[in-house]
Every structure is written in C-alpha cells, then in structure tokens.
Amino acid sequence: QKEVEQNSGPLSVPEGAIASLNCTYSDRGSQSFFWYRQYSGKSPELIMSIYSNGDKEDGRFTAQLNKASQYVSLLIRDSQPSDSATYLCAVNEGGYQKVTFGTGTKLQVIP
Amino acid sequence: GAVVSQHPSWVICKSGTSVKIECRSLDFQATTMFWYRQFPKQSLMLMATSNEGSKATYEQGVEKDKFLINHASLTLSTLTVTSAHPEDSSFYICSAEDPSGANVLTFGAGSRLTVL
C-alpha cells in the first residue's frame, strides 16, 4: 500500500511568518511530487511540482525534495491570511498516471 | 492553462435514484481522466481511471456496477452514481493530466452530491 503522510494540523502561523509543511511517502520509486492547495468546499489547485532533489522556488513558495529520506516539504514565506487552506501533498510513482494524495495539512494564517 | 469543466456543481437526489456527473476538458484532449471522491475532512481518494474508448479501471473497493464511468470522447468523461444512497453523499472531483507538465493534474470544480 503506497502511502503519503502529512500532519493534519491545523498549523497556525502569524501573518508574515514562514509556514513549513511536511510530507513523507512510502514508495521509493516515486518520481513526481506535487503540492496542491484546497480551499474549503473547493477542488484542489496546483501550487508546486518538483521532480528532482533539492529546492524549487516560485514566488513565496519553495518546494524541497529529498528522495533519500522520502521527504518533500513546502515553505510559504510572508504568509498571508489568504494562504489559509488545506495543503495536499501528492506523489506519482512514475510510469503510471495514478497520483496518491496525503490527507492534507490545514494551515491557518492569523492576521 | 488547461481547464476542466465539471457539471453539475451540486446535486440533491432521493435515495434509489441515479445521478450523472460530467467532466469535460475544454481546451485539450484527455485520453485519461480520473475520478476522485472526498468525504468531509478527508483526503481525495481515487475511485477510477477513465480511459477513452475502453473500460475504466477501478480502484480496489470501488463498485464498478454502482459507479458507471463512460469516456466516449477525448474531451468528455461521465460518472453515473446508480441507485444512490445517503452513504454515497460526497464531493466528487474529476481531473485530467495537464498537457503542460508531467503528471500534473488539473481538477474540475467538483460536484457535491447529497442523497436524501
């Protein structure tokens, strides 16, 4: 059973702070990694994708991947109240289109 | 970016009736679409992979005779919940692989089903 694990939270951070979201996965063959944001009652939207070890930055967001540790994280700098949402980590094994989602971490940014 | 349209966004039906949900890729062709279900405060669970021109692939534990999937064209997949019961009430979301990125999924807006 391939698993993707996240702390459900909620993770509360003050406005302007850095939010750090973490995810571990069980399948060493995984090759594609994603962070999706889901607002309550809405469908997920892609925040970041990362495919190789290291950091990938896009605006206030940085994804970090460590395949040896089977760990992927998302950093949100200068957190804003509008960042308050559930963040879903998703992993794809590679060679297959199936994507497995974690249970999500609820982030609350406090003004 | 790629857009996936899903309809209806919400539906209420009586127990025992059937409900059809449509998922369309608006500006790209999708030979494969994915149907997810999400219960309150839970993550997305893949129900089935819809393949254009062939039978859908269902995940373990998902009843293929209850959740009928048809992918008749390169831009349309439908999910029919047959003989719906209150326990089928959930948020159903379709997705397709975005042509712009490897394994990146673009999601429809979701369909909230309430079975009375």
Side-chain angles (χ1 to χ4, degrees):
Chain A
Q1 178 79 16
K2 299 181 178 62
E3 295 183 350
V4 178
E5 297 189 354
Q6 297 179 253
N7 188 318
S8 61
L11 172 65
S12 295
V13 299
E15 184 175 356
I18 296 175
S20 177
L21 305 167
N22 304 314
C23 172
T24 59
Y25 58 95
S26 63
D27 187 358
R28 283 194 171 274
S30 301
Q31 297 186 13
S32 305
F33 307 85
F34 311 92
W35 284 99
Y36 287 85
R37 177 175 64 196
Q38 185 176 26
Y39 292 112
S40 181
K42 304 296 184 181
S43 63
E45 55 180 331
L46 182 71
I47 297 296
M48 294 281 287
S49 60
I50 187 167
Y51 303 98
S52 56
N53 280 329
D55 295 358
K56 179 181 178 182
E57 184 175 322
D58 183 0
R60 296 187 295 113
F61 300 95
T62 298
Q64 299 174 317
L65 175 61
N66 184 325
K67 290 186 178 180
S69 300
Q70 295 175 242
Y71 175 91
V72 58
S73 66
L74 179 69
L75 300 178
I76 306 175
R77 290 181 297 281
D78 189 23
S79 296
Q80 300 297 309
S82 58
D83 294 327
S84 298
T86 296
Y87 289 80
L88 301 169
C89 174
V91 175
N92 175 273
E93 183 179 346
Y96 301 93
Q97 292 175 300
K98 179 178 176 179
V99 173
T100 300
F101 285 84
T103 53
T105 298
K106 184 174 183 178
L107 173 66
Q108 296 177 338
V109 180
I110 303 169
Chain B
V3 177
V4 173
S5 173
Q6 188 172 343
H7 176 83
S9 56
W10 58 270
V11 58
I12 300 173
C13 70
K14 293 181 178 180
S15 184
T17 61
S18 295
V19 173
K20 179 185 285 187
I21 301 170
E22 293 187 348
C23 180
R24 295 179 184 273
S25 56
L26 294 188
D27 49 0
F28 65 104
Q29 294 181 335
T31 56
T32 303
M33 292 185 177
F34 306 92
W35 287 96
Y36 288 86
R37 178 169 56 184
Q38 186 176 37
F39 291 107
K41 298 185 178 181
Q42 294 186 25
S43 189
L44 281 73
M45 295 301 297
L46 180 65
M47 299 176 64
T49 301
S50 172
N51 305 297
E52 187 269 335
S54 65
K55 292 182 179 180
T57 303
Y58 290 82
E59 294 301 302
Q60 189 174 7
V62 177
E63 300 175 57
K64 61 181 181 181
D65 294 331
K66 180 170 183 63
F67 299 98
L68 302 180
I69 291 174
N70 183 280
H71 196 150
S73 78
L74 288 171
T75 60
L76 173 64
S77 175
T78 61
L79 168 68
T80 301
V81 183
T82 62
S83 186
H85 291 282
E87 57 265 30
D88 298 323
S89 299
S90 187
F91 192 42
Y92 292 86
I93 315 174
C94 71
S95 69
E97 186 170 344
D98 190 316
S100 65
N103 306 128
V104 172
L105 296 178
T106 296
F107 287 88
S111 300
R112 187 162 302 281
L113 170 63
T114 302
V115 184
L116 302 177

